[in-house]
Amino acid sequence: PTRPPLVLRLRTTYMEAPASSLSATLERDGFAYGRGAALAASCERLRAHADEALARVLDLDLDAQHDLFGEIRTPLYRRDLKLSLAPAVTQVLCEVAQALGESLQAAVGAAANLCELSVISSDPGAEAQPTHCDTSYQGAAADVAIGRLVSVFVALQDITAEMGPTQVWPRTHGREEHSLLSLQPKSDFPAVLRDRPTELALLRTGDALLMDSRLWHRGGANKSRSRRSLLVLSFVSSEGGRPAGSTYSLLSGLPTLDLARLRSGALTTPPPHPTLCLAGRVGAPARARSVVLPLRAAVPLLDLAERGLPEEEPVAQRCVRTLREAVGAAGASAVLVPAALIHHLASFRLLGPHLRAS
Protein backbone atom coordinates (compact mmCIF):
# COMPACT_ATOMS: atom_id res chain seq x y z
CA PRO A 1 0.00 0.00 0.00
CA THR A 2 1.08 3.57 -0.66
CA ARG A 3 2.43 5.32 2.40
CA PRO A 4 1.14 8.78 3.31
CA PRO A 5 3.41 11.73 2.45
CA LEU A 6 6.02 12.52 5.08
CA VAL A 7 5.37 15.82 6.83
CA LEU A 8 8.62 17.75 6.76
CA ARG A 9 9.75 20.59 9.00
CA LEU A 10 10.73 23.05 6.31
CA ARG A 11 11.63 26.67 6.81
CA THR A 12 13.24 29.51 4.95
CA THR A 13 16.98 29.03 5.40
CA TYR A 14 19.33 31.94 5.91
CA MET A 15 21.73 32.01 2.98
CA GLU A 16 24.93 34.04 2.98
CA ALA A 17 24.45 34.91 -0.70
CA PRO A 18 21.33 35.14 -2.91
CA ALA A 19 20.62 32.30 -5.32
CA SER A 20 21.65 34.35 -8.35
CA SER A 21 25.03 35.01 -6.78
CA LEU A 22 25.52 31.34 -5.89
CA SER A 23 24.66 30.33 -9.46
CA ALA A 24 27.08 32.85 -10.92
CA THR A 25 29.87 31.72 -8.57
CA LEU A 26 29.25 28.06 -9.42
CA GLU A 27 29.45 28.85 -13.14
CA ARG A 28 32.60 30.93 -12.79
CA ASP A 29 34.61 29.02 -10.18
CA GLY A 30 33.13 25.52 -10.40
CA PHE A 31 32.04 25.62 -6.76
CA ALA A 32 30.09 27.79 -4.32
CA TYR A 33 29.04 27.74 -0.68
CA GLY A 34 25.50 27.53 0.63
CA ARG A 35 25.84 28.58 4.26
CA GLY A 36 23.16 27.19 6.54
CA ALA A 37 21.60 24.98 3.86
CA ALA A 38 20.24 22.59 6.50
CA LEU A 39 19.36 22.83 10.17
CA ALA A 40 22.17 21.80 12.52
CA ALA A 41 19.77 19.64 14.53
CA SER A 42 18.66 17.80 11.38
CA CYS A 43 22.29 17.19 10.41
CA GLU A 44 23.10 15.84 13.86
CA ARG A 45 20.22 13.36 13.62
CA LEU A 46 21.38 12.28 10.19
CA ARG A 47 24.96 11.83 11.39
CA ALA A 48 23.78 9.57 14.24
CA HIS A 49 21.65 7.59 11.77
CA ALA A 50 24.57 7.22 9.33
CA ASP A 51 27.01 6.19 12.07
CA GLU A 52 24.66 3.48 13.28
CA ALA A 53 23.94 2.25 9.75
CA LEU A 54 27.66 2.18 8.97
CA ALA A 55 28.44 0.14 12.08
CA ARG A 56 25.81 -2.41 11.08
CA VAL A 57 26.97 -2.60 7.47
CA LEU A 58 30.57 -3.18 8.59
CA ASP A 59 29.34 -6.33 10.36
CA LEU A 60 28.10 -7.81 7.08
CA ASP A 61 30.12 -10.07 4.81
CA LEU A 62 32.12 -8.57 1.98
CA ASP A 63 29.55 -9.28 -0.75
CA ALA A 64 26.76 -7.53 1.18
CA GLN A 65 29.04 -4.60 2.00
CA HIS A 66 30.00 -4.26 -1.64
CA ASP A 67 26.39 -3.53 -2.65
CA LEU A 68 26.03 -0.81 -0.02
CA PHE A 69 29.29 1.08 -0.46
CA GLY A 70 30.03 3.35 -3.40
CA GLU A 71 33.42 3.42 -5.07
CA ILE A 72 35.81 5.88 -3.45
CA ARG A 73 39.44 6.79 -3.89
CA THR A 74 41.91 5.99 -1.08
CA PRO A 75 39.40 3.78 0.75
CA LEU A 76 41.38 2.93 3.89
CA TYR A 77 39.51 4.66 6.75
CA ARG A 78 37.21 6.26 4.15
CA ARG A 79 33.80 4.97 3.07
CA ASP A 80 30.91 6.05 0.85
CA LEU A 81 27.73 4.59 2.39
CA LYS A 82 24.61 4.61 0.21
CA LEU A 83 21.53 5.84 2.05
CA SER A 84 17.92 4.77 2.14
CA LEU A 85 15.12 7.31 2.40
CA ALA A 86 14.91 7.07 6.17
CA PRO A 87 13.19 10.05 7.86
CA ALA A 88 16.49 11.53 9.05
CA VAL A 89 17.82 11.40 5.47
CA THR A 90 14.67 12.76 3.84
CA GLN A 91 14.49 15.68 6.24
CA VAL A 92 17.94 17.00 5.34
CA LEU A 93 17.47 16.17 1.66
CA CYS A 94 14.36 18.33 1.43
CA GLU A 95 15.82 21.15 3.56
CA VAL A 96 18.79 21.37 1.19
CA ALA A 97 16.59 21.12 -1.91
CA GLN A 98 14.45 24.00 -0.63
CA ALA A 99 17.40 26.17 0.41
CA LEU A 100 19.55 25.59 -2.68
CA GLY A 101 16.87 24.60 -5.17
CA GLU A 102 16.90 27.82 -7.17
CA SER A 103 20.66 27.69 -7.62
CA LEU A 104 20.59 23.98 -8.49
CA GLN A 105 17.75 24.52 -10.94
CA ALA A 106 19.76 27.23 -12.70
CA ALA A 107 22.65 24.78 -13.03
CA VAL A 108 20.95 21.50 -13.99
CA GLY A 109 17.24 22.26 -14.54
CA ALA A 110 14.09 21.46 -12.56
CA ALA A 111 13.85 18.01 -14.17
CA ALA A 112 17.33 17.00 -12.98
CA ASN A 113 17.31 13.67 -11.17
CA LEU A 114 18.95 12.79 -7.88
CA CYS A 115 21.73 10.42 -8.94
CA GLU A 116 23.77 10.14 -5.72
CA LEU A 117 22.62 9.90 -2.11
CA SER A 118 25.25 8.80 0.37
CA VAL A 119 27.40 9.77 3.33
CA ILE A 120 31.14 9.91 2.88
CA SER A 121 32.91 9.31 6.17
CA SER A 122 36.62 9.89 6.69
CA ASP A 123 38.01 8.48 9.92
CA PRO A 124 41.24 9.50 11.68
CA GLY A 125 44.12 8.02 9.71
CA ALA A 126 42.56 8.51 6.27
CA GLU A 127 45.17 9.76 3.81
CA ALA A 128 44.67 12.51 1.28
CA GLN A 129 43.12 11.38 -1.98
CA PRO A 130 44.76 11.90 -5.34
CA THR A 131 43.53 15.04 -7.05
CA HIS A 132 40.74 14.17 -9.44
CA CYS A 133 37.54 15.27 -11.14
CA ASP A 134 34.41 13.12 -10.89
CA THR A 135 33.47 13.57 -14.54
CA SER A 136 35.39 14.95 -17.49
CA TYR A 137 35.20 15.91 -21.15
CA GLN A 138 37.27 12.89 -22.19
CA GLY A 139 35.73 11.03 -25.11
CA ALA A 140 33.09 13.73 -25.70
CA ALA A 141 33.23 15.76 -28.91
CA ALA A 142 32.78 19.50 -28.58
CA ASP A 143 29.44 19.34 -30.40
CA VAL A 144 28.04 16.39 -28.40
CA ALA A 145 25.59 17.26 -25.62
CA ILE A 146 26.61 15.71 -22.31
CA GLY A 147 24.46 16.19 -19.23
CA ARG A 148 25.79 18.26 -16.35
CA LEU A 149 26.26 16.83 -12.88
CA VAL A 150 26.42 19.02 -9.77
CA SER A 151 27.20 17.62 -6.32
CA VAL A 152 26.23 19.08 -2.96
CA PHE A 153 28.34 18.16 0.07
CA VAL A 154 26.58 18.96 3.36
CA ALA A 155 28.65 19.04 6.56
CA LEU A 156 27.10 16.84 9.25
CA GLN A 157 29.44 18.38 11.84
CA ASP A 158 31.82 21.34 11.92
CA ILE A 159 34.78 20.60 9.63
CA THR A 160 38.21 21.89 10.66
CA ALA A 161 41.47 21.91 8.71
CA GLU A 162 42.75 18.95 10.75
CA MET A 163 39.81 16.79 9.60
CA GLY A 164 40.92 16.85 5.97
CA PRO A 165 38.25 19.03 4.34
CA THR A 166 37.52 18.89 0.65
CA GLN A 167 40.20 20.80 -1.24
CA VAL A 168 39.18 22.46 -4.51
CA TRP A 169 41.07 24.10 -7.35
CA PRO A 170 38.89 26.98 -8.58
CA ARG A 171 38.13 27.33 -12.28
CA THR A 172 39.51 23.92 -13.28
CA HIS A 173 36.14 22.65 -14.51
CA GLY A 174 36.32 24.00 -18.07
CA ARG A 175 37.19 22.10 -21.25
CA GLU A 176 40.38 24.12 -21.74
CA GLU A 177 41.67 23.32 -18.24
CA HIS A 178 40.87 19.64 -18.72
CA SER A 179 42.77 19.60 -22.00
CA LEU A 180 45.78 21.10 -20.26
CA LEU A 181 45.62 18.61 -17.39
CA SER A 182 45.29 15.69 -19.80
CA LEU A 183 48.74 16.52 -21.16
CA GLN A 184 50.34 16.17 -17.72
CA PRO A 185 52.20 12.98 -16.77
CA LYS A 186 49.98 10.65 -14.76
CA SER A 187 50.31 11.64 -11.11
CA ASP A 188 48.33 11.80 -7.86
CA PHE A 189 49.04 15.54 -7.87
CA PRO A 190 49.64 16.98 -11.38
CA ALA A 191 52.37 19.62 -11.39
CA VAL A 192 50.16 22.16 -13.13
CA LEU A 193 47.84 22.24 -10.09
CA ARG A 194 50.66 23.07 -7.70
CA ASP A 195 50.95 26.55 -9.17
CA ARG A 196 47.22 27.25 -9.10
CA PRO A 197 45.27 28.78 -6.20
CA THR A 198 43.44 26.27 -4.02
CA GLU A 199 40.90 26.41 -1.21
CA LEU A 200 39.88 24.23 1.73
CA ALA A 201 36.12 23.88 2.25
CA LEU A 202 35.90 24.67 5.97
CA LEU A 203 32.24 24.22 6.81
CA ARG A 204 29.98 24.58 9.82
CA THR A 205 27.28 22.01 10.53
CA GLY A 206 24.57 22.39 7.86
CA ASP A 207 26.76 24.33 5.42
CA ALA A 208 26.96 23.02 1.87
CA LEU A 209 29.62 22.97 -0.82
CA LEU A 210 28.08 23.00 -4.32
CA MET A 211 30.52 21.63 -6.88
CA ASP A 212 30.55 21.07 -10.61
CA SER A 213 31.57 17.42 -10.98
CA ARG A 214 34.24 18.44 -13.50
CA LEU A 215 36.12 20.54 -10.94
CA TRP A 216 39.47 19.17 -9.77
CA HIS A 217 39.41 18.41 -6.05
CA ARG A 218 40.30 15.85 -3.40
CA GLY A 219 39.43 14.78 0.13
CA GLY A 220 42.20 15.68 2.57
CA ALA A 221 44.00 13.61 5.18
CA ASN A 222 42.12 13.31 8.46
CA LYS A 223 44.72 14.12 11.14
CA SER A 224 42.14 14.82 13.83
CA ARG A 225 40.61 12.48 16.37
CA SER A 226 37.11 12.74 14.90
CA ARG A 227 35.22 11.28 11.96
CA ARG A 228 34.38 13.71 9.17
CA SER A 229 30.97 13.02 7.65
CA LEU A 230 29.50 14.64 4.54
CA LEU A 231 26.09 14.04 3.07
CA VAL A 232 26.47 13.75 -0.71
CA LEU A 233 23.61 14.77 -2.99
CA SER A 234 24.24 14.82 -6.73
CA PHE A 235 21.88 15.93 -9.47
CA VAL A 236 22.27 15.22 -13.18
CA SER A 237 20.47 17.20 -15.86
CA SER A 238 17.85 15.40 -17.92
CA GLU A 239 19.20 16.75 -21.21
CA GLY A 240 22.12 15.02 -22.90
CA GLY A 241 23.84 11.77 -21.99
CA ARG A 242 24.96 10.98 -18.46
CA PRO A 243 28.55 12.09 -17.97
CA ALA A 244 31.01 9.24 -17.51
CA GLY A 245 33.26 8.92 -14.49
CA SER A 246 30.91 9.44 -11.56
CA THR A 247 30.38 6.52 -9.19
CA TYR A 248 26.63 7.29 -9.07
CA SER A 249 26.39 6.13 -5.43
CA LEU A 250 22.68 5.46 -5.16
CA LEU A 251 20.98 2.57 -3.39
CA SER A 252 19.20 0.27 -5.82
CA GLY A 253 15.44 0.36 -5.57
CA LEU A 254 15.07 4.02 -4.62
CA PRO A 255 12.32 5.89 -6.47
CA THR A 256 13.28 8.42 -9.11
CA LEU A 257 13.42 11.84 -7.48
CA ASP A 258 13.71 15.01 -9.52
CA LEU A 259 14.66 18.39 -8.18
CA ALA A 260 11.18 19.87 -8.53
CA ARG A 261 9.66 17.11 -6.41
CA LEU A 262 12.29 17.51 -3.72
CA ARG A 263 11.75 21.25 -3.59
CA SER A 264 8.05 20.69 -2.98
CA GLY A 265 8.80 18.65 0.16
CA ALA A 266 5.98 16.19 -0.59
CA LEU A 267 7.65 12.79 -0.58
CA THR A 268 6.21 9.35 -0.01
CA THR A 269 8.67 7.26 1.98
CA PRO A 270 9.16 3.74 0.61
CA PRO A 271 9.47 0.70 2.90
CA PRO A 272 12.88 0.71 4.61
CA HIS A 273 15.70 -1.06 2.79
CA PRO A 274 16.20 -4.47 4.47
CA THR A 275 19.95 -3.98 4.83
CA LEU A 276 19.86 -0.45 6.21
CA CYS A 277 16.85 -0.87 8.47
CA LEU A 278 17.92 0.00 12.00
CA ALA A 279 15.34 -2.24 13.64
CA GLY A 280 15.79 -6.01 13.71
CA ARG A 281 18.41 -8.12 11.99
CA VAL A 282 20.42 -6.41 9.29
CA GLY A 283 21.45 -8.14 6.12
CA ALA A 284 19.68 -8.58 2.81
CA PRO A 285 20.57 -11.62 0.72
CA ALA A 286 23.53 -10.75 -1.50
CA ARG A 287 24.33 -12.27 -4.87
CA ALA A 288 27.18 -14.74 -4.40
CA ARG A 289 30.11 -13.72 -6.58
CA SER A 290 33.28 -15.76 -6.20
CA VAL A 291 36.72 -16.00 -7.74
CA VAL A 292 39.00 -19.06 -7.85
CA LEU A 293 42.62 -18.31 -6.94
CA PRO A 294 45.53 -20.75 -7.26
CA LEU A 295 46.75 -21.67 -3.80
CA ARG A 296 50.28 -20.63 -4.78
CA ALA A 297 48.94 -17.09 -5.34
CA ALA A 298 46.55 -16.95 -2.36
CA VAL A 299 49.12 -17.81 0.31
CA PRO A 300 51.57 -14.97 -0.49
CA LEU A 301 48.61 -12.64 -1.01
CA LEU A 302 47.44 -13.43 2.53
CA ASP A 303 50.93 -12.75 3.87
CA LEU A 304 51.02 -9.42 2.03
CA ALA A 305 47.58 -8.45 3.38
CA GLU A 306 48.47 -9.39 6.95
CA ARG A 307 51.64 -7.30 6.81
CA GLY A 308 50.37 -4.42 4.73
CA LEU A 309 46.86 -3.62 6.00
CA PRO A 310 46.25 -1.72 9.26
CA GLU A 311 44.89 -3.81 12.11
CA GLU A 312 42.31 -1.23 13.22
CA GLU A 313 40.71 -0.64 9.78
CA PRO A 314 37.47 -2.70 9.77
CA VAL A 315 37.09 -3.38 6.03
CA ALA A 316 40.78 -4.21 5.67
CA GLN A 317 40.64 -6.67 8.56
CA ARG A 318 37.44 -8.22 7.20
CA CYS A 319 39.44 -8.88 4.02
CA VAL A 320 42.29 -10.46 5.99
CA ARG A 321 39.94 -12.72 7.97
CA THR A 322 38.02 -13.77 4.84
CA LEU A 323 41.19 -14.63 2.96
CA ARG A 324 42.66 -16.47 5.97
CA GLU A 325 39.51 -18.59 6.30
CA ALA A 326 39.49 -19.32 2.58
CA VAL A 327 43.12 -20.44 2.60
CA GLY A 328 42.45 -22.59 5.66
CA ALA A 329 39.57 -24.32 3.91
CA ALA A 330 41.34 -24.62 0.56
CA GLY A 331 41.83 -27.80 -1.36
CA ALA A 332 45.13 -28.97 -2.75
CA SER A 333 45.53 -26.32 -5.41
CA ALA A 334 42.74 -23.71 -5.41
CA VAL A 335 41.06 -21.17 -3.11
CA LEU A 336 37.51 -19.85 -3.51
CA VAL A 337 37.19 -16.20 -2.40
CA PRO A 338 34.47 -13.52 -2.76
CA ALA A 339 34.90 -11.29 -5.79
CA ALA A 340 34.46 -8.33 -3.42
CA LEU A 341 37.67 -9.37 -1.64
CA ILE A 342 39.67 -9.01 -4.85
CA HIS A 343 38.00 -5.68 -5.50
CA HIS A 344 38.97 -4.36 -2.06
CA LEU A 345 42.56 -5.57 -2.27
CA ALA A 346 42.93 -3.86 -5.64
CA SER A 347 41.49 -0.60 -4.24
CA PHE A 348 43.93 -0.85 -1.31
CA ARG A 349 46.72 -1.07 -3.93
CA LEU A 350 47.84 -4.45 -2.65
CA LEU A 351 46.79 -6.63 -5.55
CA GLY A 352 48.94 -4.92 -8.18
CA PRO A 353 52.25 -5.30 -6.28
CA HIS A 354 51.39 -8.92 -5.43
CA LEU A 355 50.68 -9.82 -9.06
CA ARG A 356 53.90 -8.15 -10.18
CA ALA A 357 55.85 -10.02 -7.50
CA SER A 358 54.37 -13.38 -8.46
Side-chain angles (χ1 to χ4, degrees), residues 82-326:
K82 301 174 185 178
L83 296 176
S84 65
L85 289 177
V89 178
T90 308
Q91 180 65 38
V92 177
L93 174 58
C94 288
E95 285 180 10
V96 172
Q98 186 192 48
L100 302 178
E102 189 175 338
S103 298
L104 288 169
Q105 183 171 322
V108 292
N113 285 326
L114 181 73
C115 62
E116 290 186 304
L117 177 60
S118 65
V119 164
I120 291 179
S121 61
S122 168
D123 286 334
E127 297 181 354
Q129 293 179 310
T131 54
H132 62 279
C133 52
D134 294 334
T135 65
S136 72
Y137 299 91
Q138 188 173 0
D143 58 347
V144 174
I146 299 295
R148 187 181 186 187
L149 192 152
V150 171
S151 295
V152 182
F153 302 97
V154 183
L156 301 184
Q157 72 291 295
D158 293 351
I159 296 178
T160 64
E162 293 75 24
M163 297 172 76
T166 306
Q167 183 178 11
V168 296
W169 278 264
R171 306 186 187 187
T172 56
H173 59 303
R175 187 181 290 270
E176 184 177 341
E177 289 76 11
H178 277 240
S179 297
L180 178 62
L181 283 160
S182 69
L183 300 176
Q184 297 290 305
K186 190 173 182 179
S187 167
D188 285 352
F189 196 164
V192 68
L193 290 179
R194 297 174 189 172
D195 299 326
R196 298 190 66 125
T198 185
E199 184 165 326
L200 298 178
L202 302 177
L203 305 174
R204 300 295 299 270
T205 304
D207 287 351
L209 169 69
L210 292 79
M211 191 185 76
D212 189 304
S213 63
R214 298 165 295 192
L215 189 76
W216 283 75
H217 66 284
R218 68 175 179 177
N222 190 342
K223 300 178 180 179
S224 74
R225 297 182 179 180
S226 302
R227 170 177 290 172
R228 176 177 69 98
S229 297
L230 287 171
L231 172 66
V232 182
L233 312 171
S234 294
F235 296 89
V236 62
S237 60
S238 60
E239 298 179 358
R242 275 200 169 193
S246 173
T247 59
Y248 293 107
S249 295
L250 194 68
L251 200 63
S252 62
L254 289 187
T256 300
L257 297 174
D258 61 36
L259 184 57
R261 183 179 175 191
L262 290 172
R263 292 185 70 185
S264 74
L267 294 182
T268 300
T269 56
H273 191 278
T275 309
L276 294 183
C277 179
L278 296 183
R281 188 178 184 278
V282 176
R287 297 187 303 275
R289 291 158 290 197
S290 300
V291 173
V292 176
L293 289 180
L295 187 61
R296 65 179 183 276
V299 171
L301 181 57
L302 173 59
D303 179 65
L304 185 66
E306 289 177 330
R307 290 186 290 107
L309 294 177
E311 294 182 358
E312 64 277 14
E313 213 289 335
V315 176
Q317 286 310 303
R318 170 75 69 172
C319 290
V320 171
R321 289 195 302 271
T322 301
L323 184 55
R324 186 184 295 131
E325 291 167 2

Side-chain angles (χ1 to χ4, degrees), residues 22-39:
L22 288 178
S23 301
T25 302
L26 180 63
E27 291 293 329
R28 183 190 68 223
D29 296 338
F31 73 100
Y33 296 112
R35 303 293 183 184
L39 289 169

Side-chain angles (χ1 to χ4, degrees), residues 43-115:
C43 291
E44 289 164 5
R45 283 191 292 271
L46 175 52
R47 180 161 59 95
H49 167 83
D51 284 348
E52 187 174 356
L54 177 59
R56 289 174 177 262
V57 170
L58 288 173
D59 282 338
L60 303 177
D61 62 41
L62 290 176
D63 273 328
Q65 287 184 11
H66 187 70
D67 291 334
L68 298 170
F69 287 136
E71 301 287 341
I72 196 164
R73 292 171 173 83
T74 319
L76 285 175
Y77 301 103
R78 182 180 278 112
R79 283 162 286 274
D80 183 16
L81 178 67
K82 301 174 185 178
L83 296 176
S84 65
L85 289 177
V89 178
T90 308
Q91 180 65 38
V92 177
L93 174 58
C94 288
E95 285 180 10
V96 172
Q98 186 192 48
L100 302 178
E102 189 175 338
S103 298
L104 288 169
Q105 183 171 322
V108 292
N113 285 326
L114 181 73
C115 62

